[in-house]
Amino acid sequence: MLLPAEKSWIIARNKTVENVSLSILQRIRLSILTGKPEERNDQQSQRNVFRSFLLHFRPASVPERTLDFSLSWGQGGMALVLVILLFASGLMLKFSYEPSPARAYASIIHLVNQVRFGQLLRNLHHWSANGLLLVVFLHCLRVFYTGAFTGPRQLNWSIGLVLFAAVLLSNFTGYLLPWDQRAYWAITISTSMLDYLPAVGTGLREWILGGSEPGPGTLVNFYAIHTAILPALLLFFVPWHFWRIRKANGLVIPRRSENEPMTAGEMVDSMPHLIIREAAVALLVLAAVLLISMFFNAPLDAQANPGLSPNPTKAPWYFMGVQELLIHFHPLFAVLVIPGLLVLGLLLIPYFNYEANTAGVWFCSARGRKMALAAAILASVATPAAVWFDAYATAFWRAGPAGLVSNGLLPFTVLLAVCAGFYWLVKQTFRANNNEAIQAMFTLIVTSFVVLTMIGVWFRGAGMQLGWAA
Amino acid sequence: MGKETHSRRSFLNRLWLVLGGLAFAEITAGVFGFFRSSSQEKPAANGDNIITAGPVEKFEPGTVSAFVAGKFYLARLEDGGFLAMSRRCTHLSCTVPWVAAENKFICPCHASEFDIRGEVTSPPAPRALDLYQVEIHQNVLTVNTGKPTKRSAFASDQVTYPKAT
């Protein structure tokens, strides 16, 4: 049975074939569809147009086993949805924001109070940005703990780290734009950190600030970085990240142990099996971000006041780990040595010489899982203990200015010794292979950093003293 | 054919490479030049910025006075000497408030503490608060906030004393 509309289209098609004149709307519609004129009205062929369009982005078929939600948790897709949402909401915000110290704060007040849906738009951008940071962090953990950084995926781990850095910097540069108290003091502190980089530090700081103190030049610089440089970087690296997944024949094949063969198994069509799952995740993320944005407003402090640092002045939550390091270490170590070594370690993860191929096996093995858990527990106990020890027990010999040795080299050496001792213990006592040992080290460091972040968020009150933060 | 053509081709190829490299260097230099000059502030002609703080008697020994517009603190030590100090924390540039109740400067950002002389009493600050030059003419104090002096610790020659009357 043909519907009346379809009937009229078949007549229209025959008219084209017979070269009889059509209405202008019919001509336009036929011009959009490709293929032979007599086939353009076929519903199946129209669906094919959509499908072949989709194939620009997704593979024709995927291994059925990689569709399991518990393999990927849909985190890559979530991140992409949030990036798209951030581009869209950010483009709209560009129409109301004015990047100058005199106008920035007022333009945001205007946006949230006078512009229709202005507050919602700002909330959407804020919560998408924070959500993205959380999602890419979890995504990074998932990729690490399923060993999906080996084999053909080595470079994609590095691309992912670049993306992580871009997301972090996007969040931070965006944090500065409202020119409120949080923004002003975050700029001041973060750019002052550059002073401790040897040789280039002070020049770099004054270049980024556009002067010796935060001012008009600073805001223009951060605005350009936030709305042009970093989005351009994302536009280049995000497609590359996805393309490398295609080149690696999709996601890592999940396995129960390293002895299980790494075969793809049964393949299923992406349409509908993959697409429908991705659409579901995308819609869920959209709904969640919208709901959160309806009920929770993005924070905005008082306008920037260079004469008054709020008490306590805290970094954005994702930098509270670094803030905690700054309280305990000489800045050279908190800013350069420790973060530098961590980044180097992260970059090298795919390029170590591993004893076993555990790609696709969660936590390498049952033993690996136990050791990772032990590392996490150790870090959750030892980190608060170290923070407490440094805050109270060492006060008697630490009075006076922070020294490179007493507040830098000495505690750092202790830290290194603990890490080395832990690695040795894991290798010797538990007879771990290096996959499991490196995984345990990674767990130890990541958990410590998460704990430091939690201490900064919840347990630093007025004067940055330890206690429950109101 | 042969050698001559080949060497000419390789010469031209190399020439392209050199010209391309030259163009790239020019553009890089241009970009750097752009960013350097767009970011540089014009410094004051002689770098001096003299602020009159007031007569000596205005300041009690053992007190700290904040000069908000001048962005500095004037401390009068117990022995009557004066120190003018920057309000910027030497750790990461937060503005350090004077907490009179505890008789010290406490940084709200990373909990560094300084005594009335600007000396660090609790890390993470790596050095004492920066100094400004104080001069006393006819019993009136002036502070030059144009040139901060970095110091690692307090020393008695940093203090300016009023002439005995």
Side-chain angles (χ1 to χ4, degrees):
Chain A
M1 263 313 278
L2 288 173
L3 299 167
E6 282 178 308
K7 255 183 208 164
S8 79
W9 276 106
I10 286 174
I11 293 165
R13 181 195 67 190
N14 292 338
K15 277 183 187 166
T16 335
V17 175
E18 290 155 17
N19 215 359
V20 179
S21 63
L22 299 165
S23 80
I24 188 150
L25 290 178
Q26 288 168 327
R27 280 165 199 277
I28 290 169
R29 179 166 174 192
L30 284 177
S31 78
I32 294 167
L33 299 169
T34 55
K36 289 179 192 150
E38 58 268 31
E39 285 167 5
R40 287 182 201 170
N41 285 313
D42 188 330
Q43 266 213 332
Q44 186 56 43
S45 74
Q46 284 175 26
R47 204 171 292 153
N48 284 344
V49 170
F50 176 66
R51 280 190 187 192
S52 40
F53 175 68
L54 263 186
L55 288 179
H56 289 86
F57 309 100
R58 311 313 281 140
S61 61
V62 289
E64 192 178 11
R65 299 161 69 190
T66 61
L67 287 177
D68 243 351
F69 190 66
S70 63
L71 171 66
S72 72
W73 303 93
Q75 286 157 339
M78 287 185 198
L80 182 66
V81 172
L82 290 171
V83 166
I84 293 171
L85 205 55
L86 282 161
F87 269 82
S89 54
L91 279 172
M92 287 174 75
L93 287 171
K94 263 177 99 78
F95 284 89
S96 84
Y97 176 73
E98 298 175 61
S100 80
R103 296 285 310 145
Y105 190 72
S107 75
I108 289 190
I109 296 288
H110 175 77
L111 171 78
V112 297
N113 289 338
Q114 308 291 323
V115 180
R116 194 164 298 161
F117 298 123
Q119 177 79 65
L120 183 70
L121 187 66
R122 178 159 190 262
N123 294 352
L124 264 178
H125 200 70
H126 175 86
W127 293 119
S128 302
N130 284 280
L132 179 61
L133 207 49
L134 193 67
V135 166
V136 292
F137 174 67
L138 295 175
H139 176 56
C140 173
L141 290 188
R142 191 288 288 178
V143 168
F144 179 81
Y145 286 115
T146 52
F149 53 83
T150 55
R153 298 180 180 80
Q154 287 166 313
L155 184 67
N156 220 12
W157 170 267
S158 318
I159 298 171
L161 286 181
V162 171
L163 282 169
F164 198 174
V167 167
L168 206 60
L169 281 178
S170 297
N171 259 278
F172 187 60
T173 47
Y175 187 88
L176 308 174
L177 297 182
W179 207 249
D180 58 354
Q181 278 285 66
R182 307 148 38 96
Y184 185 88
W185 293 104
I187 297 181
T188 304
I189 294 172
S190 62
T191 52
S192 296
M193 288 183 199
L194 296 173
D195 266 339
Y196 291 98
L197 301 185
V200 293
T202 305
L204 197 62
R205 178 177 64 98
E206 294 191 350
W207 182 50
I208 288 176
L209 285 182
S212 55
E213 275 179 31
T218 318
L219 205 48
V220 169
N221 284 352
F222 279 107
Y223 184 63
I225 294 170
H226 184 77
T227 63
I229 307 280
L230 290 169
L233 204 73
L234 287 179
L235 279 179
F236 177 74
F237 276 91
V238 168
W240 194 15
H241 201 52
F242 277 91
W243 180 72
R244 291 295 301 215
I245 302 173
R246 286 287 288 276
K247 285 282 138 183
N249 291 324
L251 302 185
V252 69
I253 305 292
R255 299 183 293 162
R256 270 189 217 95
S257 83
E258 59 173 294
N259 302 321
E260 213 175 293
M262 233 185 299
T263 45
E266 202 186 329
M267 303 291 282
V268 292
D269 285 344
S270 293
M271 182 78 184
H273 298 281
L274 176 63
I275 302 299
I276 209 104
R277 284 170 168 82
E278 289 180 329
V281 167
L283 289 174
L284 276 175
V285 169
L286 273 177
V289 172
L290 259 173
L291 265 179
I292 294 171
S293 300
M294 282 160 68
F295 292 107
F296 301 98
N297 283 345
L300 185 68
D301 271 5
Q303 191 165 6
N305 174 3
L308 177 75
S309 304
N311 189 1
T313 298
K314 287 195 177 185
W317 64 268
Y318 39 87
F319 281 145
M320 287 218 186
V322 180
Q323 173 187 283
E324 199 59 33
L325 286 183
L326 278 166
I327 293 177
H328 300 290
F329 286 92
H330 186 279
L332 189 69
F333 282 83
V335 170
L336 186 66
V337 177
I338 297 175
L341 282 176
L342 289 184
V343 169
L344 188 70
L346 282 174
L347 282 169
L348 285 179
I349 277 178
Y351 301 103
F352 289 127
N353 193 8
Y354 289 101
E355 285 167 33
N357 184 349
T358 55
V361 187
W362 273 98
F363 301 106
C364 297
S365 59
R367 188 174 52 183
R369 187 188 302 255
K370 264 184 219 154
M371 283 188 307
L373 187 66
I377 292 171
L378 176 68
S380 328
V381 175
T383 310
V387 167
W388 182 87
F389 182 79
D390 192 50
Y392 298 110
T394 62
F396 65 95
W397 65 272
R398 265 168 37 105
L404 257 178
V405 174
S406 66
N407 295 74
L409 207 54
L410 195 69
F412 181 66
T413 312
V414 172
L415 213 64
L416 274 188
V418 169
C419 287
F422 178 76
Y423 191 83
W424 179 84
L425 192 79
V426 163
K427 286 285 275 187
Q428 295 302 312
T429 315
F430 300 103
R431 306 209 169 281
N433 60 25
N434 68 352
N435 302 53
E436 294 157 342
I438 288 171
Q439 178 181 266
M441 274 307 289
F442 177 89
T443 310
L444 187 77
I445 293 169
V446 168
T447 313
S448 307
F449 216 76
V450 171
V451 170
L452 285 180
T453 305
M454 284 160 53
I455 291 175
V457 173
W458 289 313
F459 300 102
R460 287 277 175 196
M464 281 291 157
Q465 297 304 309
L466 286 174
W468 182 255
Chain B
M1 296 316 288
K3 215 175 170 190
E4 214 177 355
T5 345
H6 181 74
S7 70
R8 181 189 295 161
R9 174 173 294 171
S10 69
F11 169 74
L12 287 174
N13 279 343
R14 216 167 290 162
L15 195 65
W16 272 119
L17 215 64
V18 169
L19 286 176
L22 212 62
F24 181 75
E26 277 179 42
I27 292 172
T28 311
V31 168
F32 267 87
F34 171 83
F35 279 119
R36 278 191 66 80
S37 61
S38 75
S39 75
Q40 225 129 62
E41 253 178 10
K42 289 267 175 296
N46 57 2
D48 283 344
N49 185 23
I50 312 283
I51 291 177
T52 307
V56 169
E57 304 81 48
K58 207 175 130 188
F59 308 98
E60 293 288 320
T63 61
V64 172
S65 316
F67 287 77
V68 176
K71 303 180 181 177
F72 69 94
Y73 287 109
L74 187 66
R76 187 162 198 194
L77 308 182
E78 292 292 350
D79 64 3
F82 286 96
L83 275 177
M85 290 172 285
S86 165
R87 64 183 187 183
R88 278 170 71 139
C89 181
T90 54
H91 182 226
L92 290 168
S93 307
C94 286
T95 295
V96 193
W98 170 251
V99 183
E102 298 187 44
N103 214 29
K104 55 191 177 190
F105 298 96
I106 304 176
C107 183
C109 295
H110 305 95
S112 296
E113 294 180 359
F114 308 84
D115 66 14
I116 192 168
R117 302 167 300 167
E119 182 104 295
V120 182
T121 54
S122 181
R127 51 193 174 77
L129 292 174
D130 289 352
L131 277 186
Y132 292 125
Q133 195 187 349
V134 178
E135 281 184 36
I136 302 174
H137 287 296
Q138 290 157 358
N139 225 28
V140 172
L141 283 150
T142 54
V143 176
N144 181 0
T145 60
K147 294 175 193 153
T149 315
K150 290 184 178 176
R151 55 173 180 165
S152 56
F154 172 78
S156 54
D157 64 348
Q158 293 161 353
V159 185
T160 309
Y161 289 96
K163 289 198 185 75
T165 46

